[in-house]
mmCIF file of all heavy atoms in Angstrom:
data_model
loop_
_atom_site.group_PDB
_atom_site.id
_atom_site.type_symbol
_atom_site.label_atom_id
_atom_site.label_comp_id
_atom_site.label_asym_id
_atom_site.label_seq_id
_atom_site.Cartn_x
_atom_site.Cartn_y
_atom_site.Cartn_z
ATOM 1 N N TRP A 1 -40.204 3.232 7.252
ATOM 2 C CA TRP A 1 -40.918 2.079 7.485
ATOM 3 C C TRP A 1 -40.043 0.870 7.258
ATOM 4 O O TRP A 1 -40.134 -0.067 8.128
ATOM 5 C CB TRP A 1 -42.160 2.037 6.532
ATOM 6 C CG TRP A 1 -43.024 0.827 6.808
ATOM 7 C CD1 TRP A 1 -43.929 0.667 7.914
ATOM 8 C CD2 TRP A 1 -43.083 -0.307 5.954
ATOM 9 N NE1 TRP A 1 -44.580 -0.553 7.750
ATOM 10 C CE2 TRP A 1 -44.099 -1.199 6.631
ATOM 11 C CE3 TRP A 1 -42.492 -0.784 4.848
ATOM 12 C CZ2 TRP A 1 -44.433 -2.478 6.147
ATOM 13 C CZ3 TRP A 1 -42.805 -2.005 4.256
ATOM 14 C CH2 TRP A 1 -43.786 -2.878 4.977
ATOM 15 N N TRP A 2 -39.214 0.823 6.226
ATOM 16 C CA TRP A 2 -38.346 -0.334 6.050
ATOM 17 C C TRP A 2 -37.377 -0.551 7.171
ATOM 18 O O TRP A 2 -37.090 -1.650 7.581
ATOM 19 C CB TRP A 2 -37.567 -0.150 4.720
ATOM 20 C CG TRP A 2 -38.377 -0.592 3.545
ATOM 21 C CD1 TRP A 2 -39.525 -1.244 3.446
ATOM 22 C CD2 TRP A 2 -38.097 -0.121 2.111
ATOM 23 N NE1 TRP A 2 -39.948 -1.413 2.058
ATOM 24 C CE2 TRP A 2 -39.057 -0.723 1.258
ATOM 25 C CE3 TRP A 2 -37.115 0.513 1.628
ATOM 26 C CZ2 TRP A 2 -39.033 -0.676 -0.067
ATOM 27 C CZ3 TRP A 2 -37.022 0.694 0.190
ATOM 28 C CH2 TRP A 2 -38.099 0.150 -0.568
ATOM 29 N N THR A 3 -36.813 0.653 7.570
ATOM 30 C CA THR A 3 -35.702 0.552 8.552
ATOM 31 C C THR A 3 -36.133 0.601 9.995
ATOM 32 O O THR A 3 -35.437 0.263 10.980
ATOM 33 C CB THR A 3 -34.733 1.686 8.344
ATOM 34 O OG1 THR A 3 -35.382 2.946 8.527
ATOM 35 C CG2 THR A 3 -34.099 1.645 6.987
ATOM 36 N N GLY A 4 -37.441 1.095 10.252
ATOM 37 C CA GLY A 4 -37.906 1.256 11.607
ATOM 38 C C GLY A 4 -37.366 2.452 12.322
ATOM 39 O O GLY A 4 -37.313 2.481 13.601
ATOM 40 N N SER A 5 -36.903 3.445 11.596
ATOM 41 C CA SER A 5 -36.282 4.641 12.150
ATOM 42 C C SER A 5 -37.278 5.687 12.561
ATOM 43 O O SER A 5 -38.101 6.140 11.712
ATOM 44 C CB SER A 5 -35.320 5.280 11.078
ATOM 45 O OG SER A 5 -34.812 6.581 11.575
ATOM 46 N N LEU A 6 -37.362 6.007 13.890
ATOM 47 C CA LEU A 6 -38.211 6.986 14.385
ATOM 48 C C LEU A 6 -37.977 8.338 13.884
ATOM 49 O O LEU A 6 -38.851 9.145 13.499
ATOM 50 C CB LEU A 6 -38.235 6.974 15.917
ATOM 51 C CG LEU A 6 -39.076 8.024 16.713
ATOM 52 C CD1 LEU A 6 -40.554 7.886 16.315
ATOM 53 C CD2 LEU A 6 -38.828 8.031 18.131
ATOM 54 N N SER A 7 -36.625 8.733 13.842
ATOM 55 C CA SER A 7 -36.240 10.021 13.449
ATOM 56 C C SER A 7 -36.546 10.200 12.008
ATOM 57 O O SER A 7 -37.000 11.304 11.524
ATOM 58 C CB SER A 7 -34.754 10.261 13.721
ATOM 59 O OG SER A 7 -33.912 9.296 13.046
ATOM 60 N N LEU A 8 -36.469 9.135 11.147
ATOM 61 C CA LEU A 8 -36.753 9.314 9.692
ATOM 62 C C LEU A 8 -38.309 9.423 9.466
ATOM 63 O O LEU A 8 -38.727 10.167 8.628
ATOM 64 C CB LEU A 8 -36.173 8.169 8.938
ATOM 65 C CG LEU A 8 -36.278 8.242 7.400
ATOM 66 C CD1 LEU A 8 -35.683 9.519 6.965
ATOM 67 C CD2 LEU A 8 -35.544 7.061 6.798
ATOM 68 N N LEU A 9 -39.109 8.635 10.252
ATOM 69 C CA LEU A 9 -40.492 8.709 10.231
ATOM 70 C C LEU A 9 -41.001 10.165 10.654
ATOM 71 O O LEU A 9 -41.905 10.710 10.039
ATOM 72 C CB LEU A 9 -41.155 7.656 11.018
ATOM 73 C CG LEU A 9 -41.050 6.233 10.454
ATOM 74 C CD1 LEU A 9 -41.615 5.156 11.452
ATOM 75 C CD2 LEU A 9 -41.860 6.142 9.113
ATOM 76 N N ALA A 10 -40.281 10.645 11.656
ATOM 77 C CA ALA A 10 -40.685 12.070 12.089
ATOM 78 C C ALA A 10 -40.283 12.968 11.039
ATOM 79 O O ALA A 10 -40.936 13.996 10.780
ATOM 80 C CB ALA A 10 -39.821 12.362 13.387
ATOM 81 N N ASP A 11 -39.157 12.777 10.259
ATOM 82 C CA ASP A 11 -38.835 13.703 9.233
ATOM 83 C C ASP A 11 -39.776 13.558 8.078
ATOM 84 O O ASP A 11 -40.167 14.578 7.421
ATOM 85 C CB ASP A 11 -37.411 13.236 8.653
ATOM 86 C CG ASP A 11 -36.771 14.278 7.785
ATOM 87 O OD1 ASP A 11 -37.326 15.363 7.689
ATOM 88 O OD2 ASP A 11 -35.781 13.961 7.142
ATOM 89 N N ALA A 12 -40.329 12.353 7.905
ATOM 90 C CA ALA A 12 -41.419 12.152 6.831
ATOM 91 C C ALA A 12 -42.628 12.971 7.217
ATOM 92 O O ALA A 12 -43.355 13.509 6.336
ATOM 93 C CB ALA A 12 -41.744 10.708 6.569
ATOM 94 N N LEU A 13 -42.937 12.885 8.489
ATOM 95 C CA LEU A 13 -44.142 13.664 9.000
ATOM 96 C C LEU A 13 -43.876 15.147 8.755
ATOM 97 O O LEU A 13 -44.807 15.937 8.404
ATOM 98 C CB LEU A 13 -44.297 13.427 10.553
ATOM 99 C CG LEU A 13 -45.445 14.180 11.160
ATOM 100 C CD1 LEU A 13 -46.802 13.892 10.610
ATOM 101 C CD2 LEU A 13 -45.387 13.954 12.742
ATOM 102 N N HIS A 14 -42.684 15.651 8.960
ATOM 103 C CA HIS A 14 -42.371 17.066 8.631
ATOM 104 C C HIS A 14 -42.600 17.367 7.181
ATOM 105 O O HIS A 14 -43.075 18.391 6.795
ATOM 106 C CB HIS A 14 -40.932 17.312 9.113
ATOM 107 C CG HIS A 14 -40.568 18.766 9.050
ATOM 108 N ND1 HIS A 14 -39.311 19.200 8.682
ATOM 109 C CD2 HIS A 14 -41.305 19.869 9.290
ATOM 110 C CE1 HIS A 14 -39.267 20.525 8.777
ATOM 111 N NE2 HIS A 14 -40.479 20.951 9.112
ATOM 112 N N SER A 15 -42.215 16.358 6.362
ATOM 113 C CA SER A 15 -42.429 16.535 4.831
ATOM 114 C C SER A 15 -43.874 16.646 4.497
ATOM 115 O O SER A 15 -44.283 17.210 3.494
ATOM 116 C CB SER A 15 -41.651 15.479 4.028
ATOM 117 O OG SER A 15 -40.303 15.620 4.213
ATOM 118 N N ILE A 16 -44.751 15.872 5.321
ATOM 119 C CA ILE A 16 -46.136 15.955 4.995
ATOM 120 C C ILE A 16 -46.638 17.430 5.210
ATOM 121 O O ILE A 16 -47.456 17.904 4.393
ATOM 122 C CB ILE A 16 -46.949 14.988 5.969
ATOM 123 C CG1 ILE A 16 -46.666 13.509 5.645
ATOM 124 C CG2 ILE A 16 -48.466 15.216 5.957
ATOM 125 C CD1 ILE A 16 -47.286 12.514 6.574
ATOM 126 N N THR A 17 -46.179 18.080 6.221
ATOM 127 C CA THR A 17 -46.532 19.413 6.444
ATOM 128 C C THR A 17 -46.010 20.319 5.237
ATOM 129 O O THR A 17 -46.673 21.310 4.966
ATOM 130 C CB THR A 17 -45.968 20.028 7.704
ATOM 131 O OG1 THR A 17 -44.560 20.046 7.703
ATOM 132 C CG2 THR A 17 -46.426 19.251 8.945
ATOM 133 N N ASP A 18 -44.903 19.963 4.630
ATOM 134 C CA ASP A 18 -44.426 20.798 3.488
ATOM 135 C C ASP A 18 -45.442 20.709 2.364
ATOM 136 O O ASP A 18 -45.768 21.702 1.757
ATOM 137 C CB ASP A 18 -43.117 20.062 2.925
ATOM 138 C CG ASP A 18 -41.924 20.455 3.738
ATOM 139 O OD1 ASP A 18 -41.853 21.632 4.248
ATOM 140 O OD2 ASP A 18 -40.926 19.672 3.854
ATOM 141 N N SER A 19 -46.000 19.398 2.097
ATOM 142 C CA SER A 19 -46.994 19.310 1.003
ATOM 143 C C SER A 19 -48.207 19.982 1.443
ATOM 144 O O SER A 19 -48.974 20.646 0.616
ATOM 145 C CB SER A 19 -47.317 17.837 0.782
ATOM 146 O OG SER A 19 -46.044 17.099 0.439
ATOM 147 N N ALA A 20 -48.682 19.906 2.739
ATOM 148 C CA ALA A 20 -49.961 20.587 3.147
ATOM 149 C C ALA A 20 -49.717 22.029 3.031
ATOM 150 O O ALA A 20 -50.699 22.736 2.667
ATOM 151 C CB ALA A 20 -50.218 20.183 4.671
ATOM 152 N N ASN A 21 -48.522 22.643 3.335
ATOM 153 C CA ASN A 21 -48.350 24.001 3.170
ATOM 154 C C ASN A 21 -48.403 24.485 1.809
ATOM 155 O O ASN A 21 -48.913 25.589 1.489
ATOM 156 C CB ASN A 21 -46.864 24.355 3.684
ATOM 157 C CG ASN A 21 -46.729 24.086 5.262
ATOM 158 O OD1 ASN A 21 -47.720 23.996 5.936
ATOM 159 N ND2 ASN A 21 -45.578 23.832 5.753
ATOM 160 N N ASN A 22 -48.010 23.633 0.805
ATOM 161 C CA ASN A 22 -48.115 24.058 -0.564
ATOM 162 C C ASN A 22 -49.567 24.160 -0.845
ATOM 163 O O ASN A 22 -49.914 25.070 -1.685
ATOM 164 C CB ASN A 22 -47.381 23.019 -1.441
ATOM 165 C CG ASN A 22 -45.858 22.975 -1.250
ATOM 166 O OD1 ASN A 22 -45.230 21.922 -1.336
ATOM 167 N ND2 ASN A 22 -45.220 24.137 -1.033
ATOM 168 N N VAL A 23 -50.351 23.204 -0.558
ATOM 169 C CA VAL A 23 -51.774 23.169 -0.856
ATOM 170 C C VAL A 23 -52.405 24.418 -0.230
ATOM 171 O O VAL A 23 -53.166 25.176 -0.819
ATOM 172 C CB VAL A 23 -52.476 21.876 -0.335
ATOM 173 C CG1 VAL A 23 -53.980 22.009 -0.443
ATOM 174 C CG2 VAL A 23 -51.886 20.712 -1.028
ATOM 175 N N LEU A 24 -52.035 24.781 1.056
ATOM 176 C CA LEU A 24 -52.582 25.911 1.786
ATOM 177 C C LEU A 24 -52.232 27.154 0.946
ATOM 178 O O LEU A 24 -53.001 28.065 0.814
ATOM 179 C CB LEU A 24 -52.024 25.907 3.165
ATOM 180 C CG LEU A 24 -52.484 27.123 3.993
ATOM 181 C CD1 LEU A 24 -53.926 27.193 4.222
ATOM 182 C CD2 LEU A 24 -51.755 27.122 5.323
ATOM 183 N N GLY A 25 -50.962 27.241 0.491
ATOM 184 C CA GLY A 25 -50.474 28.360 -0.257
ATOM 185 C C GLY A 25 -51.171 28.545 -1.552
ATOM 186 O O GLY A 25 -51.524 29.674 -1.879
ATOM 187 N N LEU A 26 -51.530 27.416 -2.191
ATOM 188 C CA LEU A 26 -52.311 27.575 -3.420
ATOM 189 C C LEU A 26 -53.719 28.109 -3.143
ATOM 190 O O LEU A 26 -54.261 28.940 -3.942
ATOM 191 C CB LEU A 26 -52.406 26.225 -4.021
ATOM 192 C CG LEU A 26 -51.122 25.711 -4.762
ATOM 193 C CD1 LEU A 26 -51.319 24.195 -5.135
ATOM 194 C CD2 LEU A 26 -50.789 26.467 -5.962
ATOM 195 N N ILE A 27 -54.338 27.704 -2.088
ATOM 196 C CA ILE A 27 -55.660 28.123 -1.701
ATOM 197 C C ILE A 27 -55.538 29.678 -1.302
ATOM 198 O O ILE A 27 -56.465 30.512 -1.836
ATOM 199 C CB ILE A 27 -56.231 27.406 -0.498
ATOM 200 C CG1 ILE A 27 -56.492 25.952 -0.972
ATOM 201 C CG2 ILE A 27 -57.542 28.030 -0.006
ATOM 202 C CD1 ILE A 27 -56.883 25.058 0.199
ATOM 203 N N THR A 28 -54.590 30.064 -0.521
ATOM 204 C CA THR A 28 -54.669 31.457 -0.034
ATOM 205 C C THR A 28 -54.148 32.389 -1.138
ATOM 206 O O THR A 28 -54.734 33.526 -1.283
ATOM 207 C CB THR A 28 -53.595 31.645 1.120
ATOM 208 O OG1 THR A 28 -52.333 31.152 0.785
ATOM 209 C CG2 THR A 28 -54.085 30.893 2.355
ATOM 210 N N SER A 29 -53.288 31.913 -2.057
ATOM 211 C CA SER A 29 -52.883 32.873 -3.114
ATOM 212 C C SER A 29 -54.021 33.106 -4.069
ATOM 213 O O SER A 29 -54.033 34.147 -4.746
ATOM 214 C CB SER A 29 -51.651 32.223 -3.898
ATOM 215 O OG SER A 29 -52.068 31.047 -4.559
ATOM 216 N N ARG A 30 -55.004 32.246 -4.139
ATOM 217 C CA ARG A 30 -56.141 32.445 -5.012
ATOM 218 C C ARG A 30 -56.914 33.544 -4.505
ATOM 219 O O ARG A 30 -57.598 34.354 -5.268
ATOM 220 C CB ARG A 30 -56.928 31.142 -5.144
ATOM 221 C CG ARG A 30 -58.194 31.257 -5.965
ATOM 222 C CD ARG A 30 -58.968 29.984 -6.102
ATOM 223 N NE ARG A 30 -60.081 30.129 -6.905
ATOM 224 C CZ ARG A 30 -60.135 30.041 -8.276
ATOM 225 N NH1 ARG A 30 -58.989 29.918 -8.890
ATOM 226 N NH2 ARG A 30 -61.201 30.214 -8.985
ATOM 227 N N PHE A 31 -57.002 33.813 -3.170
ATOM 228 C CA PHE A 31 -57.831 34.738 -2.592
ATOM 229 C C PHE A 31 -57.080 36.005 -2.191
ATOM 230 O O PHE A 31 -57.619 36.967 -1.558
ATOM 231 C CB PHE A 31 -58.572 34.242 -1.359
ATOM 232 C CG PHE A 31 -59.485 33.145 -1.729
ATOM 233 C CD1 PHE A 31 -59.127 31.785 -1.441
ATOM 234 C CD2 PHE A 31 -60.728 33.383 -2.338
ATOM 235 C CE1 PHE A 31 -59.998 30.833 -1.773
ATOM 236 C CE2 PHE A 31 -61.629 32.354 -2.625
ATOM 237 C CZ PHE A 31 -61.236 31.099 -2.370
ATOM 238 N N SER A 32 -55.784 36.103 -2.536
ATOM 239 C CA SER A 32 -54.992 37.260 -1.919
ATOM 240 C C SER A 32 -54.626 38.222 -2.976
ATOM 241 O O SER A 32 -53.543 38.827 -3.071
ATOM 242 C CB SER A 32 -53.623 36.665 -1.427
ATOM 243 O OG SER A 32 -52.885 36.001 -2.414
ATOM 244 N N SER A 33 -55.608 38.614 -3.813
ATOM 245 C CA SER A 33 -55.400 39.614 -4.877
ATOM 246 C C SER A 33 -55.000 40.993 -4.241
ATOM 247 O O SER A 33 -55.695 41.367 -3.257
ATOM 248 C CB SER A 33 -56.649 39.794 -5.770
ATOM 249 O OG SER A 33 -56.531 40.866 -6.539
ATOM 250 N N PRO A 34 -53.952 41.628 -4.776
ATOM 251 C CA PRO A 34 -53.735 42.978 -4.222
ATOM 252 C C PRO A 34 -54.668 44.061 -4.712
ATOM 253 O O PRO A 34 -54.689 45.206 -4.209
ATOM 254 C CB PRO A 34 -52.315 43.204 -4.736
ATOM 255 C CG PRO A 34 -52.248 42.502 -6.064
ATOM 256 C CD PRO A 34 -53.096 41.267 -5.818
ATOM 257 N N ARG A 35 -55.462 43.724 -5.740
ATOM 258 C CA ARG A 35 -56.408 44.762 -6.240
ATOM 259 C C ARG A 35 -57.645 44.869 -5.419
ATOM 260 O O ARG A 35 -58.271 43.867 -4.983
ATOM 261 C CB ARG A 35 -56.830 44.325 -7.667
ATOM 262 C CG ARG A 35 -55.648 44.076 -8.601
ATOM 263 C CD ARG A 35 -56.069 43.766 -10.048
ATOM 264 N NE ARG A 35 -54.890 43.388 -10.869
ATOM 265 C CZ ARG A 35 -54.070 44.244 -11.298
ATOM 266 N NH1 ARG A 35 -54.198 45.588 -11.083
ATOM 267 N NH2 ARG A 35 -53.009 43.942 -12.016
ATOM 268 N N PRO A 36 -58.009 46.188 -5.054
ATOM 269 C CA PRO A 36 -59.125 46.450 -4.165
ATOM 270 C C PRO A 36 -60.382 46.197 -4.858
ATOM 271 O O PRO A 36 -60.519 46.191 -6.071
ATOM 272 C CB PRO A 36 -58.975 47.888 -3.843
ATOM 273 C CG PRO A 36 -58.184 48.465 -5.002
ATOM 274 C CD PRO A 36 -57.265 47.451 -5.479
ATOM 275 N N ASP A 37 -61.405 45.880 -4.073
ATOM 276 C CA ASP A 37 -62.760 45.779 -4.672
ATOM 277 C C ASP A 37 -63.771 46.404 -3.571
ATOM 278 O O ASP A 37 -63.312 46.978 -2.580
ATOM 279 C CB ASP A 37 -63.168 44.375 -5.023
ATOM 280 C CG ASP A 37 -63.059 43.392 -3.829
ATOM 281 O OD1 ASP A 37 -63.219 43.815 -2.698
ATOM 282 O OD2 ASP A 37 -62.776 42.236 -4.076
ATOM 283 N N ARG A 38 -65.076 46.298 -3.890
ATOM 284 C CA ARG A 38 -65.958 46.950 -2.969
ATOM 285 C C ARG A 38 -65.933 46.375 -1.507
ATOM 286 O O ARG A 38 -66.092 47.167 -0.637
ATOM 287 C CB ARG A 38 -67.497 46.729 -3.552
ATOM 288 C CG ARG A 38 -68.517 47.315 -2.700
ATOM 289 C CD ARG A 38 -69.876 46.993 -3.264
ATOM 290 N NE ARG A 38 -70.991 47.470 -2.403
ATOM 291 C CZ ARG A 38 -71.426 48.718 -2.392
ATOM 292 N NH1 ARG A 38 -70.943 49.685 -3.209
ATOM 293 N NH2 ARG A 38 -72.389 49.042 -1.514
ATOM 294 N N ASP A 39 -65.835 45.097 -1.342
ATOM 295 C CA ASP A 39 -65.789 44.421 -0.139
ATOM 296 C C ASP A 39 -64.346 44.501 0.540
ATOM 297 O O ASP A 39 -64.378 44.447 1.770
ATOM 298 C CB ASP A 39 -66.258 42.995 -0.254
ATOM 299 C CG ASP A 39 -67.676 42.830 -0.675
ATOM 300 O OD1 ASP A 39 -68.479 43.731 -0.285
ATOM 301 O OD2 ASP A 39 -67.944 41.943 -1.318
ATOM 302 N N HIS A 40 -63.370 44.682 -0.181
ATOM 303 C CA HIS A 40 -62.033 44.721 0.332
ATOM 304 C C HIS A 40 -61.265 45.854 -0.299
ATOM 305 O O HIS A 40 -60.452 45.721 -1.192
ATOM 306 C CB HIS A 40 -61.311 43.386 0.002
ATOM 307 C CG HIS A 40 -61.921 42.141 0.632
ATOM 308 N ND1 HIS A 40 -62.942 41.587 0.037
ATOM 309 C CD2 HIS A 40 -61.737 41.541 1.829
ATOM 310 C CE1 HIS A 40 -63.294 40.499 0.698
ATOM 311 N NE2 HIS A 40 -62.672 40.521 1.905
#
């Protein structure tokens, strides 16, 4: 934002997906138990 660099802002957008991926991973890992149960 300070420099007005499009490529750097695009890189920041890419980093937003890094953080979103971590949140997604936390959610999916909670439900990804390898232990079987009645429904799975």
Side-chain angles (χ1 to χ4, degrees):
W1 182 75
W2 279 343
T3 61
S5 169
L6 174 64
S7 60
L8 188 53
L9 288 173
D11 194 12
L13 178 63
H14 190 212
S15 295
I16 290 176
T17 65
D18 282 329
S19 302
N21 295 337
N22 294 146
V23 174
L24 178 63
L26 287 168
I27 294 172
T28 56
S29 68
R30 180 176 180 83
F31 297 103
S32 62
S33 171
R35 304 186 186 280
D37 57 31
R38 179 182 175 86
D39 295 326
H40 301 85

